[in-house]
Amino acid sequence: QSALTQPASVSGSPGQSITISCTGTTSDVGGYNYVSWYQQHPGKAPKLMIYDVSNRPSGVSNRFSGSKSGNTASLTISGLQAEDEAAYYCSSYSFSSTPVVFGGGTKLTVL
Amino acid sequence: EVQLVESGGGLVQPGGSLRLSCVASGFTLSSYSMNWVRQAPGKGLEWVSYISSAGSSIYYADSVKGRFTISRDKFRNSLYLQMDSLRDEDTAVYYCARAVTMVGNDYWGQGALVTVSS
């Protein structure tokens, strides 16, 4: 069981916007602004999409945005495109004996 | 161009040992913090270990603490993961990754498959 809770799957049509949630506790997501989001296509290494809750690395489309409210972080993808179909993982710093935790992942399907 | 290339994966029996290597190019590995992250077949990502740029901070997941050791060789521009007392549940693709923050990894290797089985 993953430390952070994500929906198993979300879907949307091309051009639409979707939001993926990542729920933790005050010991991780809610307590620190160290949340990252990764995109992973099948058979490929993960790609960093968002770090420190809402920062985009250079080269990542501005269609991807991150936010946080309380113990829940969110990744929003606007203007959905076919190539956005992938698994998405959130990750957070955790004040615990395992200082980095991941969510279980969310499979995004572009209809 | 930044690249990370892992090697050293393979098939090992339970209780055995394996050493993964990650060679960096395009940047000086010792100037960055680094992570090892693994992914069991068909499963999600699991963080394994972290080493800070200065090497003064090292952390492990509870699941590998006392069995795995992270290290770095600045002359070889390489990162290592020594894995001892391997268990079936350690079977996974292991990725090395460059950390821009402790949880934010901007470059990843292609992964090395470790299979623990008798």
Side-chain angles (χ1 to χ4, degrees):
Chain A
Q1 187 171 346
S2 303
L4 306 178
T5 301
Q6 299 181 234
S9 62
V10 298
S11 63
S13 300
Q16 287 186 331
S17 294
I18 62 96
T19 297
I20 299 172
S21 62
C22 171
T23 301
T25 69
T26 54
S27 295
D28 39 62
V29 174
Y32 308 91
N33 289 324
Y34 297 129
V35 176
S36 293
W37 288 91
Y38 296 92
Q39 176 192 66
Q40 187 180 34
H41 288 106
K44 301 293 188 183
K47 176 185 177 182
L48 181 65
M49 308 303 285
I50 296 287
Y51 68 96
D52 291 354
V53 176
S54 59
N55 293 319
R56 259 189 324 273
S58 61
V60 172
S61 170
N62 59 10
R63 298 186 298 106
F64 292 83
S65 62
S67 63
K68 190 184 83 167
S69 177
N71 295 338
T72 299
S74 298
L75 173 71
T76 298
I77 308 174
S78 59
L80 268 181
Q81 299 179 0
E83 59 262 35
D84 298 333
E85 184 163 294
Y88 290 84
Y89 294 90
C90 62
S91 180
S92 173
Y93 172 78
S94 174
F95 186 70
S96 70
S97 56
T98 295
V100 180
V101 291
F102 278 96
T106 298
K107 175 70 170 71
L108 168 63
T109 301
V110 180
L111 302 169
Chain B
E1 180 192 7
V2 171
Q3 275 197 312
L4 294 166
V5 179
E6 299 98 338
S7 62
L11 175 63
V12 61
Q13 291 188 336
S17 297
L18 216 52
R19 187 199 197 203
L20 299 182
S21 299
C22 170
V23 178
S25 58
F27 73 102
T28 301
L29 189 143
S30 58
S31 297
Y32 288 83
S33 299
M34 299 292 294
N35 279 302
W36 285 99
V37 177
R38 69 184 181 184
Q39 187 169 35
K43 302 297 184 182
L45 300 173
E46 180 187 12
W47 173 78
V48 173
S49 183
Y50 164 93
I51 183 168
S52 64
S53 56
S56 54
S57 296
I58 288 177
Y59 303 105
Y60 299 96
D62 283 346
S63 57
V64 307
K65 203 169 293 181
R67 301 187 299 121
F68 289 13
T69 304
I70 191 172
S71 63
R72 189 173 57 196
D73 183 333
K74 68 176 183 179
F75 299 108
R76 289 184 166 83
N77 213 33
S78 295
L79 179 74
Y80 304 100
L81 186 68
Q82 176 66 39
M83 303 183 294
D84 299 319
S85 302
L86 283 162
R87 306 167 179 168
D88 291 349
E89 56 264 36
D90 295 319
T91 293
V93 173
Y94 285 74
Y95 296 100
C96 66
R98 191 178 82 169
V100 288
T101 71
M102 193 171 180
V103 303
N105 301 298
D106 61 347
Y107 285 94
W108 296 64
Q110 85 288 353
L113 177 61
V114 172
T115 302
V116 184
S117 175
S118 54

